[in-house]
Amino acid sequence: MGAKRVVIGWLAVLAAVLFATGAAAAPRALAPAVPMAGGRIANIRVEGNRRIEAASVRSYLLLKAGDPWDPERVDDSLKALFATGLFADVRMIREGNTLVVKVVENPIINRIAFEGNSRISDKDLQPAIHLRPQLVYTRTAVQDDVRRILELYRLRGHFAATVDPKVIQLSENRVDLVFEINEGPATEVRSINFVGNQRFSDSTLRGVIATKESRWWRFLSTSDTYDPDRIAYDRELLRKFYLSEGYADFHVISAVAELTPDRDGFIITYTIEEGPRYRFGKVDVAIKLKGVPRSQVLPLLTVHSGDWYDADEVEHSIAKLTDELGNHGYAFVEVKPEIVRQRKTRTIDITFDVQQGPRVYVQRIDITGNVRTLDKVIRREMRLVEGDAFNENKLQRSKDRIKNLGFFKKVDIKTRPGSAPDRTVITVEVEEQSTGQLSFGLGLSTADGPLIDASIREQNFLGRGEDVRIGGALSLRAQQVDLSFTQPYFLDRNLAAGFDLFEVQTSPTANFFSGVTPPYVQFSYGGSLRAGYQISEHLRQTWHYTARSDDITQVQSDAALFIALEQGTHLTSEIGQVLLYDRRDNRLQPTSGYYTSLGTDFAGAGFGVKYIRSKVDAGYYYSLWPNWVMGLTGEAGDIFGWGGQPVLLQDRFFVGGDNLIGFEQAGIGPRDTISGDALGGNEYYTAKLALGVPLGLPKELGLSGSVFANVGSLFGNDQQHITLTPTDLEFTGGRPPHIVDTSALRGAGGVGIEWHSPFGPIEVDLAVPFLKQPFDKSQFFHFSFGTRF
């Protein structure tokens, strides 16, 4: 019995302990004081809300007063409130039959700031994040924005960047959010390697792609920083390059970017498969249009049997066929190339299948993204308008024309179905960029010596596409101030009209390195009106009227008598035109194509000097091999007086320097035998044959070489026929002056180097004359340097 009582006693003690423990633990384990089951909800009370109305909180709950107590629906209501992102904490408690919802509201963002960023501006960071002032602050949203900022930095090549968000508590449950950014160094591309290339070297392929290896001279470029999007673009550049060289089976197997162990650079490896090289085999056209025989369109093709396969030329042939047939009334033509590979003979047979396509018309053209630029500025560059037959080639040309305006950072044109199966809607999306320029230039040349210029230009004045420029230039040879205005579509027509005002002081025959004081100074001022229009895609006509005053002044005592005789002011009223036909692939650095222009000027319209001047320019460019471009250019001019008036000094031609390398500025042509001063001529011609030669250096250095020969002549001077008076001869001490004048050919040959440097173009030419006259002035070294910032 004693042992039994002891056991019972211990059991009683244990039961009491367990009861006490359970009673204490129960309220902590079950947050509500009363179980969330049994009975009905009599009332719902919201506590802790400051900014959000109680009714709004109740609207998120999945139960309401009068509903039975349901633990699952209470739990779902709790999750629904958290999902709103409005609350930092939510608790639900049952007090009797009242459901108490206790909330802690998330603060409102008062201000968002970025600190530590220098490579990416606040203006570029702001669009990358989703949070904005007056929105609710949540940790999840902040972390998402941190990831977005880091992604933006990775796209700019900064893989070591870190972002630390800081919250500054303010009154009334508001916060300032600050993203503290440590940008770290840019992650550069240490090396670019290629695996599988046999036909082309690594250095050649590195010149094809946009990504470059890190080098000291790329300090002003971002092409040597790692960018995943650029790598994808490089794959496409490689594909296009090989397809243009005849490798129709080429493909990029992989492009792998590996981070170096020190995490400050990438090694990129492209694994490629070149495949065999193909030539064009059978080339034919299958045409199914009435009234258009095969023989009529076959000459339009730019691909020929036996040539190396070139995908670019295939596209060019399609464009030519589409354009030509469109001009003959076949607006809905479709040209599809049918390609058959003959792997045994390594040829590609191609048949251009030409047939009538589906009839689709442009229903509407929508333009978005232009905040400042007027819609009509964009619409007038479109080669399609509402109601036109839809043409993919014209749509691409429209995109190119809008890009060439220079007003937009991004241009994207999309199409979508219209209100009917034969209707399409074109959407033009643009992103504007700054079109104003404030430029300041420095330079040095053998003709002008040190020079400086400055200008203010707005290419999209008031968003109307108008071009306004005010500029000035100063050098040892010339000083100039000018104002120009151009309206590219005058009266909403395809007519570019504008005016120019100018004031120029120059010494046409001066040479900076000669050390000789210029024999005279020419001071000119005036203005001109001009208008130009496209006759066709490649043919342009320009007209102008110029009113000018020229003053020959500051004539030196030892200057030529023929210069002194023309001292004074002369007025000019001139009407002129220029007709230009241009088929060059690039106007600044052409590699193929040709151009020719004819200009004529008639002076004496109403008043002033009287002359008729003509000038012809032409050029032809041909690519012999990649980076070997041959260029043949030439120009000729003629001027003669009418109404018994001779051609005056300020209107004559001068040759030498930039237009005939190997000779000084005004180094050839009629010259006074006593003073040696150049007097200019009435007729001239020059021609230059140059071969661009690769220097074996990386293409991105911007260095190119050339071997050239140029020839020319300047002759004819009306002053040699004038009769001098005794008063005139007093100027020369009684010695009768004489003009040496000959149409003999002059020529010089040499080599040149051009560097498209970060500071501007630098040109250096070394030339030696091989044909010259005793009175000509040669120049072995010719250079020019200029920059603009």
Side-chain angles (χ1 to χ4, degrees), residues 394-457:
K394 288 184 177 180
L395 191 68
Q396 181 59 44
R397 286 214 304 271
S398 300
K399 182 178 181 179
D400 294 339
R401 288 175 65 90
I402 296 173
K403 281 184 176 179
N404 290 338
L405 288 174
F407 302 164
F408 308 106
K409 185 187 303 181
K410 179 182 177 183
V411 178
D412 191 16
I413 298 183
K414 300 177 182 178
T415 59
R416 67 177 189 274
S419 59
D422 64 343
R423 297 289 185 269
T424 186
V425 175
I426 299 174
T427 301
V428 182
E429 298 178 0
V430 298
E431 182 180 346
E432 292 181 323
Q433 63 181 5
S434 175
T435 55
Q437 297 178 4
L438 174 61
S439 60
F440 179 73
L442 295 173
L444 181 67
S445 73
T446 47
D448 295 309
L451 59 92
I452 179 173
D453 70 56
S455 67
I456 301 174
R457 183 182 183 187

Side-chain angles (χ1 to χ4, degrees), residues 520 522 552 563 566 647-652 654 678-680:
Y520 71 97
Q522 179 177 322
I552 304 299
I563 294 177
E566 296 197 3
V647 178
L648 301 183
L649 179 64
Q650 73 269 4
D651 300 317
R652 298 183 200 129
F654 290 91
L679 302 176

Side-chain angles (χ1 to χ4, degrees), residues 169-215:
Q169 298 290 340
L170 303 175
S171 61
E172 299 179 359
N173 201 26
R174 295 175 303 122
V175 295
D176 282 346
L177 176 59
V178 180
F179 292 99
E180 294 185 353
I181 301 172
N182 180 6
E183 295 180 323
T187 310
E188 300 174 337
V189 177
R190 292 281 187 85
S191 176
I192 300 176
N193 304 311
F194 295 88
V195 177
N197 54 311
Q198 299 176 356
R199 174 64 178 83
F200 298 99
S201 65
D202 284 14
S203 61
T204 299
L205 296 182
R206 290 190 192 106
V208 171
I209 62 178
T211 304
K212 305 301 179 183
E213 293 180 335
S214 177
R215 295 292 185 269

Side-chain angles (χ1 to χ4, degrees), residues 91 110 164 328 383 484 486 497 507 510 601-602 676 708 718 770:
R91 288 189 301 155
N110 177 63
D164 186 16
H328 285 77
R383 300 297 90 187
S484 66
T486 303
S507 302
D601 300 310
F602 174 82
F708 65 88
D718 296 339
F770 53 79

Side-chain angles (χ1 to χ4, degrees), residues 21 45 57 66 91 132 188 284 289 326 462 478 592 604 637 653 690 709 715 726 741:
T21 305
R45 187 172 73 249
V57 177
R91 288 189 301 155
R132 295 288 184 272
E188 300 174 337
D284 202 358
L289 301 178
L462 299 179
S592 64
F653 300 111
F715 51 92
D741 184 10

Side-chain angles (χ1 to χ4, degrees), residues 491-567:
L491 299 177
D492 290 329
R493 298 179 181 273
N494 187 21
L495 179 68
F499 66 84
D500 302 280
L501 300 175
F502 58 86
E503 182 179 283
V504 183
Q505 180 175 304
T506 183
S507 302
T509 62
N511 189 295
F512 169 67
F513 284 99
S514 67
V516 178
T517 302
Y520 71 97
V521 172
Q522 179 177 322
F523 179 75
S524 306
Y525 66 90
S528 64
L529 301 174
R530 48 186 162 75
Y533 51 90
Q534 291 291 140
I535 299 176
S536 66
E537 188 74 17
H538 304 288
L539 184 63
R540 183 171 183 83
Q541 175 79 66
T542 303
W543 294 88
H544 74 267
Y545 170 76
T546 301
R548 188 180 74 243
S549 172
D550 299 292
D551 186 16
I552 304 299
T553 183
Q554 298 182 33
V555 177
Q556 300 298 310
S557 58
D558 58 349
L561 171 62
F562 299 104
I563 294 177
L565 291 176
E566 296 197 3
Q567 189 171 203

Side-chain angles (χ1 to χ4, degrees), residues 32 96 153 296 324 340 432 518 597 655 675 699 741:
Y153 270 97
Q296 182 178 339
E324 188 65 24
V340 179
E432 292 181 323
S597 74
V655 175
S675 65
K699 184 178 180 180
D741 184 10

Side-chain angles (χ1 to χ4, degrees), residues 44-54 56-58 60-61 77-78 80-82 84 86-93 100-106 173:
I44 298 177
R45 187 172 73 249
V46 179
E47 297 179 357
N49 57 311
R50 297 181 182 179
R51 185 180 66 257
I52 303 170
E53 296 291 336
S56 297
V57 177
R58 294 190 188 97
Y60 293 110
L61 301 178
S77 297
L78 186 69
L81 286 173
F82 270 115
T84 64
L86 298 173
F87 308 105
D89 189 23
V90 180
R91 288 189 301 155
M92 290 188 177
I93 300 174
V100 181
V101 182
K102 296 186 176 183
V103 298
V104 177
E105 294 176 348
N106 274 324
N173 201 26

